[in-house]
Amino acid sequence: MDYWKSSIQRLFITFLSIIVLLLVGRIFFFLDYLPTDFWGKASWFEVMLVFLSATRFDVSTASAVILLPVLGTLLLLPFSKSLRKLWRMITHWYSQICLYTTVLIIIVSHYFFYYYQDHFNSFFWEFWDNWENSKLVIWSIFDELPILKLSISLLVLLVWVNVLHKILQHLAASLSGLFSRKISLIMIPLLLLVGSRGTFDPLPLTMQRYREQVSAIPHLNLIHGNPYYELYSSWGDTIDASDSSKVKKFLKRSTNKIPKWFATVAEMDDSRKFRGVDESTFYLEYQVPALKEKYLKQKPKHIVFIFMESQSAWLSSYKEGGFQQKIRQNLNKIKKQSLSFSHFFQAGGGTLNNIMQINLSIPTNEYSRIEFSSEIYKPFSTTFPRIMERQGYIPLFFYGGSLSWHRLYHILPKLGYHQIFGESSIQNVSKTRFGVHDADLFELVHQKLLQAKQPTFSFVMTLSNHPPYGVPENFVGQVTSSNAPSKLKKRILDEDNFDKRMRALAYADQALGGFFRKAKKSPYFKETLFVLTADHAHPMALKWEPEERYQLRKIPLFFYSPALLKTSNTVNDNFGSHIDIPPTILSLITEKPVMVHSWGRSLLEPPKSKLLLSNEINCFNDVCIASNQVYVLQKDQKLVLCKTTLCIEKSKHLTKIIKAFSNSGSNYLFNYHIVKSE
């Protein structure tokens, strides 16, 4: 075989290898995350159709990867014999790098979904932003992922790459007649160009991925596409949402739409008004109702806001075998004496984003990362701590970890917190590589409350339920994969990870209970309002069905103060998220209506429209949008894919509302001009 033909054949083998590897990765994903009742809803024929449709993405990826080496081979080798040896070596190593990169990206994509229950998203790109944070993530891999299974998966794919090469060599040899120079010079570049595009549709393949769902079965939609396309899509979404220049250009192009966005948001609540004359003065003014007389016996001297790490509401649904007593005994006791909310969700993606959402009460789109925007340093007059300060409270912030994490030491004072306490404020205690144990953090909060001579507002951010799940060595968890409730046991994907999580949850609950036992014996307890919620929900490396997404993403919200609350053990079913927390707390403590700039509302008041805007799920009445799919919310809180034109039409109205909230929030964040007297 001549030199030229062998080079083309080798690249053809690389082309086929990438396609086969991506197919194997898709089969692995399909089987590993297969819902238990899948075959009751799907047929083999439908599965095959989706796999065939997804092959377009694989062919496109493989074509794009080898296009340049093929063009170089076709154009350089016939005219330059001196370059042949060098070019052969370059294409060999290029092919090897591409193949092993494909193996790596398949594994990373697979186990990224294992942790986040989602394909590549902004969290993947956040990893590269901050080396201190990256180190913690790297360490967390060993605590979060099934390392043995991951290693075996990687090893199998690496072996398969080498076996596959030998198999395809024989196939390529049998097709060697197709690699004649005359045919190749014309047909191969043309085929690769068509293959790279992956479609004859006028709409590019990158946009087809999210244009419509290929199946009414969510699991089949998850396997459509491939890791390269998911990575590219998440990168595009992240850049579009977090690149300040792009956001500003978008707002500049949308000058005529901006007032319509604000007007749409204002229409959703009778207490919210659209103010301003242009994009630099537009804002939403929300009149916070005065509900103190209705709910509280007196204004609290202290407010303690506890931001619990990864505390999901779904944990409360498992009661078999004393599970609640072992995992959430103290939290459940608090709930029984609280005003609680049964449809509460995280506003943003991740802990830091939700800190910003609470403190600014500004919504953003799903992929936005406002915590990395310089705009958050503007002196907004109605941040959470400044609202509390105007009510007579000194705003304090407590965190059990390092304040250098995402530059908290720099961000928090800009938001209006007077004093900030991190792990360096807590001495002579044992620590994990991430920070102090929750009990030691709560002890610091307890001491500061005892010493306080003026009213305080304390934002307390816990840590122990975060990887590496560092708890005191002598603490023994009572729940393991062997004695978990039977329905929960069926969901377990990694027993070791499950055991660590259950131990950390039990310890976090014990630390919380210890804090309240001390508090009850202290003079400040009867004068303090405690508010408890979570930074975000977490799938906890369990197997979840797509229709359970609504239940999976809920988080608790409790208002607790036995001495102050006029009503307790009451459940409120209003939709809400983190941005509603400041106006809700303010409505409880104020004696007269207060005007604030806020996209949130008091959850204690009946809503004009039943609207939920959160990180991954948005609902208007019973129609919900999640992961670009339209669902109908059932009475059992399960999501069923929309199959009627009526719910599709309703979803269009919801989409308009979602865009109005996020885009008006972006305009306020980027364009609003703050007058010093505000």
Side-chain angles (χ1 to χ4, degrees):
M1 183 183 295
D2 66 43
Y3 205 91
W4 183 87
K5 185 179 288 188
S6 66
S7 297
I8 292 295
Q9 182 174 311
R10 187 168 58 255
L11 289 169
F12 179 64
I13 292 171
T14 302
F15 171 80
L16 293 177
S17 296
I18 291 173
I19 292 175
V20 174
L21 283 172
L22 291 171
L23 174 62
V24 169
R26 186 174 293 109
I27 293 171
F28 179 34
F29 183 95
F30 173 77
L31 295 174
D32 202 25
Y33 299 114
L34 189 70
T36 51
D37 60 345
F38 177 81
W39 293 112
K41 301 176 181 178
S43 65
W44 277 104
F45 180 71
E46 186 173 7
V47 172
M48 292 302 297
L49 284 179
V50 173
F51 267 83
L52 284 172
S53 178
T55 303
R56 296 175 300 155
F57 296 93
D58 303 341
V59 171
S60 173
T61 300
S63 299
V65 165
I66 70 163
L67 179 59
L68 287 178
V70 167
L71 290 176
T73 301
L74 293 174
L75 298 175
L76 289 177
L77 296 192
F79 306 105
S80 179
K81 293 183 179 180
S82 60
L83 285 176
R84 287 181 178 178
K85 189 172 183 180
L86 176 62
W87 186 251
R88 184 185 181 93
M89 183 177 67
I90 290 172
T91 55
H92 168 77
W93 285 109
Y94 177 83
S95 296
Q96 292 299 304
I97 290 170
C98 289
L99 290 173
Y100 289 111
T101 298
T102 300
V103 168
L104 182 62
I105 199 172
I106 289 170
I107 292 296
V108 172
S109 173
H110 189 91
Y111 290 99
F112 186 91
F113 188 91
Y114 171 92
Y115 184 76
Y116 286 107
Q117 292 292 298
D118 193 10
H119 289 304
F120 287 125
N121 55 31
S122 60
F123 290 122
F124 178 82
W125 299 104
E126 183 179 317
F127 172 83
W128 308 100
D129 287 323
N130 183 305
W131 174 238
E132 290 300 318
N133 187 50
S134 301
K135 287 191 291 186
L136 295 172
V137 172
I138 292 169
W139 276 110
S140 297
I141 288 172
F142 297 96
D143 301 298
E144 287 292 298
L145 300 180
I147 297 300
L148 179 60
K149 181 181 176 182
L150 187 155
S151 302
I152 293 172
S153 306
L154 179 61
L155 181 61
V156 168
L157 279 179
L158 290 174
V159 171
W160 176 240
V161 167
N162 291 283
V163 172
L164 185 62
H165 184 267
K166 294 179 180 178
I167 295 172
L168 293 177
Q169 267 186 324
H170 296 293
L171 176 62
S174 65
L175 298 173
S176 60
L178 297 175
F179 303 133
S180 66
R181 189 167 301 183
K182 289 182 180 179
I183 295 175
S184 299
L185 282 171
I186 300 171
M187 293 302 298
I188 291 180
L190 181 62
L191 290 172
L192 287 177
L193 286 170
V194 173
S196 296
R197 197 168 189 279
T199 179
F200 292 105
D201 193 299
L203 198 66
L205 203 58
T206 50
M207 296 180 68
Q208 288 187 46
R209 169 67 181 89
Y210 297 107
R211 179 175 62 174
E212 60 184 9
Q213 301 304 318
V214 295
S215 172
I217 300 170
H219 184 62
L220 289 179
N221 292 325
L222 288 173
I223 65 170
H224 201 230
N226 68 33
Y228 282 101
Y229 268 87
E230 299 296 348
L231 189 62
Y232 174 78
S233 177
S234 69
W235 174 77
D237 288 334
T238 302
I239 293 299
D240 288 342
S242 59
D243 186 327
S244 296
S245 63
K246 286 194 174 185
V247 175
K248 289 176 181 177
K249 288 176 182 177
F250 167 71
L251 293 171
K252 193 172 182 178
R253 294 195 307 269
S254 309
T255 303
N256 295 331
K257 297 179 182 178
I258 292 173
K260 295 178 183 178
W261 295 332
F262 277 89
T264 297
V265 176
E267 289 169 3
M268 302 306 296
D269 197 297
D270 290 335
S271 297
R272 190 183 288 123
K273 303 299 180 185
F274 168 30
R275 306 293 191 193
V277 295
D278 59 30
E279 56 268 23
S280 68
T281 59
F282 288 153
Y283 66 95
L284 290 170
E285 185 177 66
Y286 176 67
Q287 181 175 285
V288 179
L291 302 175
K292 184 179 78 67
E293 291 300 320
K294 182 178 179 180
Y295 288 96
L296 296 182
K297 297 172 184 176
Q298 66 182 56
K299 184 176 180 178
K301 181 179 179 180
H302 302 287
I303 298 174
V304 178
F305 178 74
I306 301 177
F307 202 48
M308 300 179 289
E309 172 64 45
S310 301
Q311 189 67 244
S312 302
W314 60 261
L315 285 161
S316 64
S317 61
Y318 294 94
K319 306 186 186 302
E320 180 186 334
F323 180 75
Q324 293 299 310
Q325 284 290 105
K326 298 170 184 176
I327 294 297
R328 290 163 59 96
Q329 178 181 4
N330 294 293
L331 196 58
N332 286 336
K333 284 180 180 178
I334 292 168
K335 182 182 179 181
K336 288 177 182 178
Q337 293 182 282
S338 294
L339 171 60
S340 62
F341 294 80
S342 58
H343 295 269
F344 192 75
F345 293 78
Q346 67 192 70
T351 302
L352 188 60
N353 193 293
N354 286 319
I355 291 175
M356 294 298 108
Q357 298 268 7
I358 291 173
N359 283 285
L360 296 174
S361 203
I362 301 173
T364 57
N365 69 43
E366 181 179 352
Y367 303 101
S368 181
R369 302 154 77 206
I370 60 173
E371 65 270 29
F372 297 104
S373 169
S374 61
E375 309 299 327
I376 63 174
Y377 298 123
K378 288 181 179 178
F380 292 106
S381 61
T382 54
T383 62
F384 198 8
R386 291 188 179 110
I387 289 172
M388 293 295 103
E389 186 176 5
R390 280 197 290 275
Q391 290 293 315
Y393 299 94
I394 299 173
L396 313 173
F397 192 97
F398 297 84
Y399 175 46
S402 169
L403 292 174
S404 63
W405 180 72
H406 287 302
R407 301 174 299 139
L408 286 178
Y409 64 88
H410 186 59
I411 295 172
L412 296 172
K414 300 288 187 182
L415 292 172
Y417 288 97
H418 286 201
Q419 289 182 279
I420 303 158
F421 304 95
E423 67 169 325
S424 59
S425 303
I426 306 171
Q427 303 296 326
N428 303 317
V429 298
S430 61
K431 299 182 181 182
T432 71
R433 64 172 181 265
F434 211 80
V436 301
H437 302 303
D438 280 0
D440 297 316
L441 172 65
F442 281 128
E443 178 61 25
L444 175 63
V445 176
H446 173 64
Q447 292 300 324
K448 293 297 180 184
L449 285 167
L450 286 173
Q451 298 164 12
K453 295 180 180 179
Q454 294 177 277
T456 59
F457 163 67
S458 301
F459 191 122
V460 183
M461 182 172 153
T462 69
L463 183 66
S464 292
N465 196 33
H466 191 284
Y469 313 115
V471 303
E473 292 182 3
N474 60 355
F475 181 81
V476 178
Q478 297 183 58
V479 175
T480 64
S481 56
S482 61
N483 65 4
S486 56
K487 290 183 179 179
L488 184 58
K489 189 180 293 187
K490 293 177 182 177
R491 297 183 183 272
I492 299 173
L493 295 171
D494 178 1
E495 293 182 354
D496 182 58
N497 181 272
F498 179 83
D499 293 347
K500 289 178 182 176
R501 283 192 172 277
M502 292 299 110
R503 183 172 179 242
L505 274 167
Y507 170 73
D509 185 74
Q510 184 192 78
L512 184 71
F515 168 64
F516 279 107
R517 281 190 291 275
K518 287 182 180 179
K520 287 177 181 178
K521 298 175 183 178
S522 305
Y524 68 78
F525 181 73
K526 293 182 179 180
E527 301 177 293
T528 303
L529 173 66
F530 299 91
V531 183
L532 297 86
T533 190
D535 56 349
H536 51 73
H538 205 293
M540 296 191 181
L542 300 172
K543 197 171 188 176
W544 295 95
E545 312 297 348
E547 59 264 28
E548 296 175 309
R549 186 185 293 266
Y550 186 89
Q551 298 156 305
L552 172 62
R553 294 303 177 187
K554 288 198 302 180
I555 58 175
L557 175 62
F558 306 150
F559 287 80
Y560 172 68
S561 184
L564 295 180
L565 280 173
K566 290 182 178 180
T567 177
S568 61
N569 196 19
T570 303
V571 179
N572 185 304
D573 64 357
N574 287 339
F575 282 151
S577 75
H578 284 129
I579 64 171
D580 299 307
I581 286 175
T584 303
I585 292 177
L586 184 54
S587 70
L588 266 180
I589 64 175
T590 185
E591 296 179 352
K592 59 182 180 180
V594 179
M595 299 295 186
V596 296
H597 296 191
S598 176
W599 277 249
R601 57 178 302 276
S602 173
L603 298 179
L604 299 169
E605 289 279 84
K608 178 182 177 180
S609 305
K610 195 170 183 183
L611 174 68
L612 169 66
L613 296 176
S614 68
N615 176 239
E616 294 190 5
I617 298 177
N618 300 287
C619 301
F620 188 73
N621 295 322
D622 63 341
V623 175
C624 301
I625 297 176
S627 296
N628 300 294
Q629 298 183 85
V630 180
Y631 294 94
V632 177
L633 181 63
Q634 306 296 297
K635 289 183 179 179
D636 61 0
Q637 296 188 18
K638 288 191 175 181
L639 297 172
V640 175
L641 274 172
C642 167
K643 297 179 182 178
T644 67
T645 55
L646 179 61
C647 59
I648 292 294
E649 288 302 313
K650 288 181 178 179
S651 73
K652 292 177 182 177
H653 179 57
L654 174 57
T655 299
K656 177 185 174 183
I657 295 171
I658 295 168
K659 289 181 178 179
F661 267 82
S662 61
N663 291 339
S664 61
S666 294
N667 186 80
Y668 181 76
L669 187 66
F670 285 92
N671 288 336
Y672 184 71
H673 178 66
I674 298 173
V675 180
K676 288 185 178 180
S677 59
E678 286 186 5

